[in-house]
Amino acid sequence: MERLQRRTMVVLSAMQVVGTVGVGIAPSIGVLLAGQVTDNEAWAGLARTSSTLGAALLGFPLGNLAARRGRRVALASGWWVAAAGSGLLVAAAQWSLVVPLFIGLLLIGAGSAVSLQARFAATDLSTPRHRARSLALIVWVGTIGSVLGPNLGVPGEVIGRATGLTVFAAAFLIASGCLAAAGGLVFTLLRPDPLLLARAHAVNESGCPGSRAVAAPPAGRGRPRAMLAELRRNPPARLAVVAILTSQLVMVAIMTMTPVHIEHEGGSVTFIGITISLHIVGMYGVSPIVGIAADRIGHRLTIATGIVLLAVSLTIGMIKSNDMGWMMASLILLGLGWSFGNVGGSALFSVAVSGQARAASQGGLDALSNLFGAAAAFTAGPILMFTSFSALAAIAIIALIPLTALTAIAPKGIPS
C-alpha cells in the first residue's frame, strides 16, 4: 500500500502542476479579457466571478462522479471540461464574443474543482499519521502552476505572431492544452484508482467482498442533503467544514478588497503586486509545514492556530489600515491563517467522514467553499464602498466567532 501511495502522489503532483497552469490563467488574463470583451464594469465583474461560480456548481457532480467511478474518472473529466471551456475562451478572445466568454469561464472552473479534489485524493491511501502531510503537499505543488498560469501572456505573444491569434486567444490555447494534458495524464497513470482501492481494502478488512464496495455506492451520493446529514451526526466533520468555510470567507473578502484599498491610499501597482504575491506565498508556500504540524499536534490545534493568525491579521487591518507596511504584514498573516485553517480542516474532514460518503461529501464541501468565496467577493465590495477597510476587517473578525466557539468546545474525539 505504501508503494501505491507513493505512485499516487507522483501522478497527482504532476497532474497538479500541469493542470493548474491552465487554471491559473482565469484570475489574471481571464479578468483582463472580461473587461475587454464586455466593455462594461458591471458585466465584467460578473464575468470575473464566473470561474469561481463554475467551480462551485461543478463541485457536487464531480464529487458524485468520484464516488461512483473513482478519482481517475472524476479528475480526468474535470480537467477535460475545463479544457473545453478554455477552448471557448480562445474564440471569445479572438472575436470578442460575450456568450462564449461567460460559458468558457464557467467551464474552466471545473479545473479549480478537480484541483481541490486532488488534495483529498492524496489521502485515500495515506496512513493516518501522514494524511495531513500528503494533503498539504498536493496543495503546495499546485502553487507552481498558479504562479506560471498568469504569465501565459508571454508565450501567447510568440504563438500569436505565428498564428495570427490575439495574445489572449493564444494564451487560452496554451491553457487548453495544459488542461487537456492534465486529464490525459491522470486518466492514463492513476491506476489502480486510490479511492476504489481504499474502499475495497476497507470492506475486505471487515470480511465483505471488496467488489461490492466498488460497485454499489450508497444512494443519494453527491447530493447536498447527504452531506448535511453527515454534518448533523458528525461533530468532527462539522468543525472541519466550519473551519474551511470560515477561512475561505474571511480570506477572500479581505484579499479581494486589499488591492482596491491600497490603490485608494496611493499605493503603487508594484506594491500591490508584491503584497498579493507575499499573501499567496503565505497561503501555499508553507502548506507542507502546516501539514506536518497537523499530523503532529492534531487538527484542532492546527485550526486554532489558523484562527489566531487570522485574528491578528484582521486586527492589524482594522487599526493600521492606513499604513502600507502593516497592510503587507496583515496580508501575509492572512495567507498563513488561511493555510492553517484550510489544511487543518481538510485533513480533519478526510478522517472524520466515513469512507462510503467521503468522496461525495468532499465534492460538496469544495462546492460550498467556492460559493462562500464568491459570496465574500460580492459583498466585500459594497461594504468597502459604503464604510471603510477597517469596518470590513471588523466584520471579518465577527465572522471568526462561531469557529472559535466550535473549536473551543470540540469533542474529545478530535485530536488536539
Side-chain angles (χ1 to χ4, degrees):
M1 193 69 73
E2 184 177 343
R3 180 180 62 82
L4 290 174
Q5 170 64 0
R6 284 198 300 268
R7 174 181 168 79
T8 297
M9 290 296 293
V10 170
V11 174
L12 290 175
S13 297
M15 176 204 75
Q16 280 286 80
V17 172
V18 176
T20 52
V21 171
V23 173
I25 196 173
S28 52
I29 296 176
V31 167
L32 298 175
L33 178 63
Q36 183 185 88
V37 172
T38 61
D39 197 27
N40 179 293
E41 187 55 38
W43 282 105
L46 184 60
R48 289 164 189 162
T49 61
S50 293
S51 60
T52 302
L53 182 61
L57 294 177
L58 294 166
F60 280 113
L62 287 170
N64 182 38
L65 185 59
R68 294 183 180 277
R69 301 290 301 278
R71 300 289 189 191
R72 183 175 66 91
V73 173
L75 292 172
S77 298
W79 290 122
W80 289 334
V81 169
S86 189
L88 282 176
L89 291 169
V90 174
Q94 186 68 16
W95 295 292
S96 295
L97 303 175
V98 175
V99 174
L101 169 72
F102 278 89
I103 297 175
L105 287 172
L106 196 74
L107 293 180
I108 206 172
S112 297
V114 292
S115 178
L116 287 171
Q117 190 181 117
R119 78 194 194 281
F120 286 123
T123 69
D124 290 333
L125 299 178
S126 179
T127 60
R129 65 191 184 95
H130 291 147
R131 189 164 283 143
R133 184 181 68 181
S134 298
L135 183 151
L137 180 61
I138 296 302
V139 173
W140 179 77
V141 296
T143 311
I144 300 172
S146 298
V147 171
L148 293 176
N151 297 293
L152 287 182
V154 177
E157 291 180 351
V158 177
I159 292 179
R161 286 193 295 269
T163 62
L165 293 173
T166 66
V167 173
F168 288 170
F172 278 108
L173 182 63
I174 299 170
S176 183
C178 290
L179 293 164
L185 190 155
V186 71
F187 188 79
T188 303
L189 298 181
L190 196 63
R191 299 172 185 269
D193 188 285
L195 178 61
L196 299 183
L197 181 61
R199 190 182 296 159
H201 181 71
V203 175
N204 280 331
E205 284 188 339
S206 68
C208 301
S211 59
R212 293 186 60 189
V214 176
R221 177 171 287 164
R223 298 173 184 172
R225 64 175 177 267
M227 189 184 72
L228 294 176
E230 181 78 26
L231 298 183
R232 281 195 297 271
R233 64 176 179 263
N234 192 333
R238 193 158 55 241
L239 171 60
V241 168
V242 174
I244 293 169
L245 297 185
T246 302
S247 299
Q248 185 75 357
L249 180 74
V250 170
M251 186 277 293
V252 172
I254 299 300
M255 183 269 289
T256 302
M257 290 299 104
T258 295
V260 178
H261 172 67
I262 292 177
E263 185 180 39
H264 288 168
E265 292 294 322
S268 66
V269 174
T270 300
F271 183 85
I272 292 172
I274 293 172
T275 300
I276 296 301
S277 294
L278 291 175
H279 166 70
I280 293 173
V281 169
M283 288 177 64
Y284 300 113
V286 299
S287 55
I289 298 174
V290 176
I292 294 171
D295 284 330
R296 292 186 177 180
I297 68 175
H299 306 109
R300 183 169 59 178
L301 285 179
T302 303
I303 293 170
T305 302
I307 295 171
V308 172
L309 289 168
L310 289 172
V312 173
S313 166
L314 296 171
T315 301
I316 293 173
M318 186 172 61
I319 65 178
K320 292 287 189 179
S321 60
N322 296 326
D323 188 313
M324 295 301 98
W326 280 108
M327 284 300 301
M328 181 181 287
S330 174
L331 261 288
I332 295 172
L333 291 172
L334 183 74
L336 288 170
W338 178 90
S339 185
F340 274 87
N342 187 275
V343 170
S346 297
L348 175 58
F349 193 79
S350 69
V351 172
V353 178
S354 63
Q356 289 294 306
R358 184 181 300 139
S361 297
Q362 288 165 346
L365 175 58
D366 289 338
L368 282 177
S369 179
N370 281 300
L371 282 175
F372 268 60
F378 269 119
T379 56
I383 291 173
L384 181 64
M385 181 184 301
F386 292 111
T387 58
S388 65
F389 190 87
S390 295
L392 178 63
I395 293 171
I397 290 176
I398 295 172
L400 289 175
I401 293 175
L403 174 59
T404 303
L406 200 59
T407 304
I409 62 172
K412 293 181 181 179
I414 299 177
S416 60

